[in-house]
Amino acid sequence: TNASITGFAGTGINLNSIDAVVLTNTTSSQNGKGLNATTITSFSDTDGLYNGNVDGGIMLTGVTGEVDLTRTEASDNDSDSNNVGTGFAADTVGGKVTILGSTFDGGGTAPQENGVTLNAITGDITIGDSGAFSTSISGNTGAGLEVTNSATSNVSLTNVTADNNGGNGISLTDVADVDFTGVSASSSG
């Protein structure tokens, strides 16, 4: 809570083989990577900032439970412009993924390859508002939102903007049901 890690050549926050991760008002910006977590039981971030990192904002691999992001910002995370940085990436999640009122934009102070990539998610995926904050996944050089290999996941997007991405604004491959309300994905691809 209230931690600030900036200016490291490596990863600002590196977590491996631990239980629940709960972060509030955490900043891990202008590092090699913002946050990398592998083999954890669950992940929650509220009001975190993961901006301007060299090769990615938040990277999660092997989460057995749920992933929750609320008003999280992970933007401009390819500061060396080598087409590697993604704002938020989650691979192999055993529970649901919920993203509310968060920002994963590129094109600000530095580019960002992809906004959000989700692969092999078992639970439902919900992306939407947190009060007055909507979710923005725009201006990335690659994809805005990409979900793959998540055949048991129902995907619900509410008031999500995925405009002006170099690749697809929203790409969903191998998911269960899909529900869109108030979604914009213009001028992408």
Side-chain angles (χ1 to χ4, degrees), residues 24-105:
T24 305
N25 294 320
T26 299
T27 298
S28 184
S29 296
Q30 300 170 356
N31 300 303
K33 286 185 181 175
L35 182 144
N36 188 66
T38 306
T39 315
I40 59 176
T41 58
S42 63
F43 182 85
S44 174
D45 180 81
T46 302
D47 297 318
L49 299 173
Y50 306 86
N51 298 320
N53 294 293
V54 176
D55 288 324
I58 301 172
M59 312 286 114
L60 306 178
T61 305
V63 182
T64 57
E66 297 181 3
V67 172
D68 297 295
L69 304 179
T70 304
R71 295 179 307 277
T72 299
E73 185 175 324
S75 296
D76 302 325
N77 285 297
D78 186 15
S79 66
D80 62 355
S81 301
N82 69 349
N83 299 322
V84 173
T86 293
F88 173 64
D91 186 17
T92 314
V93 176
K96 65 181 181 175
V97 173
T98 304
I99 301 172
L100 302 175
S102 298
T103 303
F104 311 95
D105 292 344

Side-chain angles (χ1 to χ4, degrees), residues 97-143:
V97 173
T98 304
I99 301 172
L100 302 175
S102 298
T103 303
F104 311 95
D105 292 344
T109 58
Q112 178 164 282
E113 178 63 14
N114 300 303
V116 175
T117 60
L118 305 174
N119 181 60
I121 311 300
T122 302
D124 290 343
I125 298 167
T126 302
I127 303 176
D129 296 338
S130 174
F133 297 93
S134 60
T135 295
S136 177
I137 313 170
S138 297
N140 298 285
T141 56

